Amino acid sequence: MSDPSTSVLIALTVITAATPLVFAAIGELITERSGVLNLGVEGMMLVGAVSSFLCVHVYGSAPLALLVGMAGGMVMALLFGFLTLSLQASQVATGLALTIFGTGLSALVGQSLIGVAYGGLPKLHIPVLSELPTVGPLLFQHDVLVYASWLLIPAVSIFLKRSRAGLVLRAVGDSHDSAHALGYRVIRVRYFATLFGGACSGLAGAYLSMAYAPMWVENMTAGRGWIALALVVFAVWQPGWVLFGAYLFGGITILQLHGQGIGINVPSQLMSMLPYVTTIIVLVLISLNQGRVRRNAPAAIGQAFHPTT
Amino acid sequence: MAGSSLVTMQNITKAYPGVLANDAVHFDIGHGEIHALLGENGAGKSTLVKVLYGLLQPDSGSVTWQGQAVKLSSPSVARSLGIAMVFQHFSLFESLTVVENIAMGMAVPATDNLRKRIIEVSNRYGLPLEPNRDVFTLSVGERQRIEIIRCLLQNPKLLIMDEPTSVLTPQEVQDLFVTLKRLASEGVSILYISHKLDEIRELCDAATILRGGKNVATANPKEESAQSLAALMIGEDIQPAIRTNQVKLGEPLLALNQLTITSKSVQNMSLRDINLKVHAGEIVGIAGVAGNGQDELLSAIAGETRSSGEMIWLKGEFVSYWSVGSRRQAGLCAVPEERLGHAAVPSMSLSENAFLTGFHRQKLRTAGLVSAGRCKKAANAVIDEFDVQCHGPHSAASSLSGGNLQKFVVGREILQAPDVLVVSQPTWGVDAGAAAAIHKALQGLAKNGAAVLVISQDLDELIAITDRIGALCAGRLSKLYATTDVDAQQVGQLMGGTHSLEVVA
């Protein structure tokens, strides 16, 4: 196997930077498509990160740790769902509270884990394909979560566009009253969507603590949950554009670091702004298309559903 | 009829906090029968129908379907028996396509096979519809077709239609009746809810009349007059509005001069070269099928959309650039079509809603602050004057029934004594008694020297109360005619896009 070139190495760091964003954003996309706005992504990610890292530290099993990370995110999502869907609390306030709660809870649980070392998720080399020059190391020598994030995008896309469950999900997010009138279980659909969002956020967190870092650091998500939330809106709730946005953001983050590294004469604060500014501009341009917004934006987002009539 | 009954509802009782919506109601419909359900707003029609469709569980009572006792625990149970329903407020999903919407209501996937069946049914029953269109681009009439086709695809035995004609042109109504009669002849029973008594007399074989949640009569509408049916519904005779003959016209108070507004989005119709003068003392009517520029015209006149140049004149001043508030202050009030969310804020109380449009013309503030007492008084005035059924000025707008809220939002503007009143769909979904009251109030306003512009899809209403009439089609306004000189058929032509009639009697 030939040594990968510098540009391939940079591309690999872009992939690792983008992968947690893809997970968190695609989970939130499904949640929001059902009409639920969960602002607690950051908190769910942190709980996912700490619970998976704790699990791998205690039991040493990476697959189990990933499942536990997902479960951690889902428990947080369940809490959110119970408060907003069953008790009809405000989604915005509850989501913000969930982030604050998740930050504190993960810090508490993770106290003993600070400084603990872990080797990271094993890389899975796809036979034959991973031997290809350039393309091999770029696409076929990753850990399981990177492949999963790539498969998740078309899967969610097909689910939304082609499957009956996806149709019901979109319909519930468009008008819960109409869906209820037709006899669909609005609250149940929203619970499932919220739990899926929690599982994805948990996995995004698990990726950070088990593959990206790999270690536990307090508040290690560093705002990625909020970026994921923004990506969903600017990608107009379309999985393909979420992938694009995540890689654009990840790409510019890494490139500006390298730019700073080789000493481009621009204040570093400006360089650090670059990923945010570029991503927002590009995705705003995408969302200018009125028809696209009308087709994909969940009209009932953030609204509590009272099944009275 | 007991032997041939398709469905029999007995002793249906349903109570809401403070209201007995259905009080031991009986209802019976035979195979292939077109049966009307009549009653004022709040008479319990919707409750009864929701029970029949499985959306509500009655407190007591039983339902028998083809001789078998059934429990309609959910709409899917009702659907599986063969009950289908076309809602008044369509239960459609705007962001989905036609075929996806139909798939949602049928528990089948949105496949090419379903597309084919949609085209088949739409051709068979004369309901043209393109399966792949996004619903948010469709007109109200087209949206109703989706609901009807969705029902027909399930081969229903009972089709429930809630106020189906309130948004259709006379021609579309006739087409719908042909479709419904054809369905009935094929053995489908139709439960038809409407306020339009003439339609019921033309279409229906039987009528069940509810008042205050109780059965008051079962009648054969073909043997009754519209007057006698209305009397049964309301429990007293109503005096329909009668056009006061040729009023003396005053100055033109509102003038539109080549009003042209180019729409920036697909959902809105552009307005083209609209010329119109409304004089003091007259009511001018604008007919047209929904989606032909009515909303755009109203918002241009009210000031929600600004126009350019000297397109809009109010009492001799051009106001194209003025805000809604300045126009109100100058005497131009408007009532938009959508009651909840446009004319009134759903979660706010009636007195707060009275303030929102009233503070320009009425003294509702003290020292710059909202005066709760004065707002309450203003709201109470509307409630008393227009007989709005509610718990008082503190009730939330969303807690009122559609008809009562309509009376409130129209009454609120009328009591501000505007010089020019523009009102869209003043009696949509309002019962006959309330409609007559609103009509009389509009006429009273005109008689006192105001210029009134009524935009409506209800042709009977326009012909009954207006002095001059024209129609909007694709954003253009036809020539206006004295209402006494034209009949419904001719206005129908104008609605269809004819600019001026060749021969006017």
Side-chain angles (χ1 to χ4, degrees), chain A residues 160-161 164 167-168 170-172 174-184 290-291 294-297 308-309, chain B residues 50 53 55-56 75 79 87 90-96 100 103-105 107-110 134 136 150 265 267:
Chain A
L160 283 174
K161 281 210 190 90
R164 172 146 196 91
L167 178 62
V168 173
R170 283 187 287 146
V172 166
D174 188 75
S175 165
H176 46 221
D177 291 325
S178 295
H180 178 67
L182 289 172
Y184 290 92
Q290 281 271 333
R294 283 298 295 266
R295 258 188 295 276
N296 294 292
T308 44
T309 46
Chain B
K50 280 178 180 163
Y53 194 57
L55 280 168
L56 284 178
R79 277 201 296 271
F87 293 91
F90 309 139
S91 51
L92 292 177
F93 306 97
E94 298 225 339
S95 66
L96 306 185
E100 286 174 335
M104 276 298 291
V108 294
D134 289 313
F136 66 85
R150 169 155 79 190
S265 73
Q267 299 109 43

Side-chain angles (χ1 to χ4, degrees), chain B residues 348-359 364 370-380 383 392-397 408 412:
Chain B
M348 285 192 175
S349 71
L350 294 181
S351 57
E352 284 168 324
N353 273 298
F355 176 83
L356 286 176
T357 73
F359 75 96
L364 298 179
V370 178
S371 159
R374 287 179 185 169
C375 292
K376 202 170 145 189
K377 231 163 126 188
N380 263 328
I383 292 168
H394 60 272
S395 347
F408 182 82
R412 176 180 66 175

Side-chain angles (χ1 to χ4, degrees), chain B residues 242-288:
Chain B
I242 299 160
R243 195 201 332 272
T244 43
N245 267 335
Q246 215 44 54
V247 277
K248 225 185 128 236
L249 288 191
E251 292 293 302
L253 294 183
L254 173 72
L256 306 181
N257 178 24
Q258 296 288 328
L259 175 68
T260 298
I261 289 177
T262 310
S263 148
K264 288 186 193 66
S265 73
V266 280
Q267 299 109 43
N268 291 328
M269 182 61 74
S270 295
L271 299 175
R272 301 250 173 267
D273 302 328
I274 292 181
N275 290 302
L276 175 69
K277 279 198 177 100
V278 190
H279 301 82
E282 74 169 340
I283 302 180
V284 172
I286 295 185

Side-chain angles (χ1 to χ4, degrees), chain B residues 318-489:
Chain B
F318 83 90
V319 298
S320 309
Y321 299 108
W322 291 19
S323 69
V324 178
S326 330
R327 292 186 203 195
R328 280 187 173 276
Q329 230 153 12
L332 188 160
C333 292
V335 187
E337 172 183 348
E338 182 63 46
R339 315 182 253 261
L340 273 182
H342 195 174
V345 181
S347 58
M348 285 192 175
S349 71
L350 294 181
S351 57
E352 284 168 324
N353 273 298
F355 176 83
L356 286 176
T357 73
F359 75 96
H360 298 284
R361 296 182 63 73
Q362 293 164 314
K363 270 191 85 71
L364 298 179
R365 286 176 292 189
T366 36
L369 299 175
V370 178
S371 159
R374 287 179 185 169
C375 292
K376 202 170 145 189
K377 231 163 126 188
N380 263 328
V382 179
I383 292 168
D384 294 342
E385 191 91 2
F386 290 86
D387 188 29
V388 179
Q389 305 288 320
C390 63
H391 295 300
H394 60 272
S395 347
S398 59
S399 70
L400 269 65
S401 75
N404 279 308
L405 185 59
Q406 185 68 27
K407 286 194 268 187
F408 182 82
V409 295
V410 174
R412 176 180 66 175
E413 305 306 324
I414 290 178
L415 289 195
Q416 292 178 37
D419 299 316
V420 178
L421 180 70
V422 188
V423 45
S424 182
Q425 298 279 73
T427 58
W428 189 47
V430 170
D431 63 63
I438 290 175
H439 288 156
K440 274 182 207 146
L442 292 174
Q443 288 176 323
L445 191 66
K447 205 168 149 199
N448 290 335
V452 179
L453 182 66
V454 180
I455 303 169
S456 175
Q457 291 158 41
D458 183 344
L459 209 42
D460 299 336
E461 161 175 279
L462 291 177
I463 288 178
I465 64 165
T466 61
D467 302 302
R468 288 192 297 147
I469 191 167
L472 265 179
C473 181
R476 289 172 197 275
L477 183 63
S478 71
K479 266 178 79 170
L480 293 180
Y481 294 91
T483 310
T484 42
D485 292 346
V486 290
D487 59 26
Q489 233 48 40

Side-chain angles (χ1 to χ4, degrees), chain B residues 9-244:
Chain B
M9 302 173 82
Q10 278 182 312
N11 283 316
I12 300 293
T13 298
K14 174 79 189 175
Y16 289 115
V19 197
L20 199 54
N22 277 177
D23 185 1
V25 174
H26 289 261
F27 177 77
D28 187 287
I29 185 167
H31 289 278
E33 182 186 44
I34 305 182
H35 195 120
L37 189 56
L38 269 173
E40 288 191 281
N41 294 319
K45 292 174 308 209
S46 323
T47 305
L48 185 67
V49 164
K50 280 178 180 163
V51 168
L52 183 55
Y53 194 57
L55 280 168
L56 284 178
Q57 299 309 313
D59 300 333
S60 65
S62 63
V63 181
T64 314
W65 175 262
Q66 293 182 321
Q68 306 274 318
V70 286
K71 189 171 166 6
L72 298 163
S73 50
S74 78
S76 53
V77 171
R79 277 201 296 271
S80 68
L81 288 174
I83 302 175
M85 178 161 176
V86 176
F87 293 91
Q88 179 188 5
H89 299 286
F90 309 139
S91 51
L92 292 177
F93 306 97
E94 298 225 339
S95 66
L96 306 185
T97 62
V98 170
V99 63
E100 286 174 335
N101 265 285
I102 289 176
M104 276 298 291
M106 293 184 58
V108 294
T111 55
D112 286 338
N113 184 30
L114 182 60
R115 268 182 209 103
K116 262 186 231 137
R117 287 174 59 201
I118 292 170
I119 293 170
E120 214 176 273
V121 170
S122 77
N123 290 338
R124 177 150 176 238
Y125 291 102
L127 302 159
L129 200 58
E130 165 57 49
N132 288 330
R133 284 276 297 276
D134 289 313
V135 169
F136 66 85
T137 64
L138 299 182
S139 74
V140 185
E142 287 170 306
R143 290 174 191 213
Q144 185 184 48
R145 280 180 223 147
I146 304 178
E147 294 266 7
I148 297 175
I149 288 178
R150 169 155 79 190
C151 291
L152 295 185
L153 281 170
Q154 302 170 62
N155 301 315
K157 296 194 180 74
L158 173 63
L159 182 62
I160 306 170
M161 303 205 75
D162 190 1
E163 300 259 351
T165 58
S166 51
V167 290
L168 303 181
T169 63
Q171 189 52 49
E172 283 177 314
V173 170
Q174 288 311 317
D175 292 346
L176 177 69
F177 283 7
V178 171
T179 305
L180 293 181
K181 283 176 180 164
R182 177 162 176 189
L183 281 166
S185 73
E186 292 173 4
V188 179
S189 308
I190 295 166
L191 171 54
Y192 190 90
I193 304 170
S194 176
H195 288 300
K196 295 184 183 169
L197 302 169
D198 290 326
E199 285 181 358
I200 285 173
R201 291 177 56 230
E202 182 186 340
L203 183 72
C204 300
D205 309 315
T208 295
I209 297 154
L210 299 182
R211 192 196 316 146
K214 290 190 176 110
N215 285 89
V216 288
T218 308
N220 182 344
K222 295 200 163 65
E223 291 165 1
E224 300 280 337
S225 67
Q227 227 66 33
S228 64
L229 284 173
L232 284 171
M233 260 167 67
I234 296 168
E236 60 192 73
D237 285 329
I238 45 164
Q239 308 295 324
I242 299 160
R243 195 201 332 272
T244 43

Side-chain angles (χ1 to χ4, degrees), chain B residues 303-315:
Chain B
E304 290 175 42
T305 323
R306 305 288 166 86
S307 40
S308 51
E310 306 191 345
M311 288 176 177
I312 300 181
W313 293 77
L314 175 63
K315 298 194 281 186

Side-chain angles (χ1 to χ4, degrees), chain A residues 11-291:
Chain A
L12 288 176
T13 47
V14 170
I15 292 173
T16 50
T19 299
L21 293 177
V22 172
F23 276 118
I26 212 75
E28 179 67 11
L29 182 143
I30 290 290
T31 304
E32 291 190 10
R33 271 292 180 105
S34 80
V36 177
L37 179 65
N38 185 351
L39 294 180
V41 177
E42 184 91 356
M44 297 189 296
M45 281 174 77
L46 281 167
V47 169
V50 78
S51 49
S52 62
F53 196 78
L54 181 67
C55 176
V56 84
H57 174 58
V58 175
Y59 296 105
S61 159
L64 181 68
L66 292 181
L67 287 178
V68 167
M70 285 167 78
M74 285 170 88
V75 168
M76 294 287 281
L78 189 64
L79 177 65
F80 177 84
F82 178 69
L83 292 171
T84 59
L85 300 175
S86 297
L87 302 183
Q88 298 180 341
S90 152
Q91 293 180 10
V92 170
T94 310
L96 292 173
L98 195 71
T99 285
I100 297 168
F101 173 60
T103 310
L105 180 69
S106 62
L108 179 71
V109 172
Q111 262 178 343
S112 61
L113 297 174
I114 294 173
V116 171
Y118 172 62
L121 284 179
K123 305 278 188 214
L124 301 178
H125 291 234
I126 310 273
V128 188
L129 291 175
S130 61
E131 304 300 324
L132 295 171
T134 313
V135 182
L138 203 54
L139 296 181
F140 302 108
Q141 299 181 6
H142 293 290
D143 57 67
V144 61
L145 287 183
V146 172
Y147 299 128
S149 76
W150 290 343
L151 293 178
L152 193 58
I153 297 290
V156 164
S157 206
I158 290 168
F159 168 79
L160 283 174
K161 281 210 190 90
R162 294 295 172 85
S163 79
R164 172 146 196 91
L167 178 62
V168 173
L169 181 89
R170 283 187 287 146
V172 166
D174 188 75
S175 165
H176 46 221
D177 291 325
S178 295
H180 178 67
L182 289 172
Y184 290 92
R185 305 279 189 87
V186 172
I187 298 291
R188 179 148 65 167
V189 169
R190 290 189 168 167
Y191 257 109
F192 278 124
T194 305
L195 286 176
F196 180 83
C200 284
S201 286
L203 212 50
Y207 182 84
L208 287 175
S209 67
M210 293 184 55
Y212 186 87
M215 57 177 163
W216 166 252
V217 181
E218 210 178 295
N219 207 5
M220 69 185 302
T221 47
R224 285 185 183 81
W226 299 108
I227 299 294
L229 274 162
L231 281 179
V232 176
V233 176
F234 289 125
V236 200
W237 295 271
Q238 289 170 296
W241 287 111
V242 161
L243 183 75
F244 171 78
Y247 274 79
L248 181 72
F249 183 83
I252 297 176
T253 308
I254 299 300
L255 286 183
Q256 62 91 13
L257 280 177
H258 281 275
Q260 288 185 41
I262 58 174
I264 293 177
N265 195 15
V266 173
S268 66
Q269 290 87 348
L270 278 182
M271 295 290 278
S272 308
M273 280 163 54
L274 209 57
Y276 300 90
V277 174
T278 321
T279 310
I280 287 173
I281 290 175
V282 170
L283 292 175
V284 162
L285 292 179
I286 295 168
S287 60
L288 281 181
N289 182 332
Q290 281 271 333

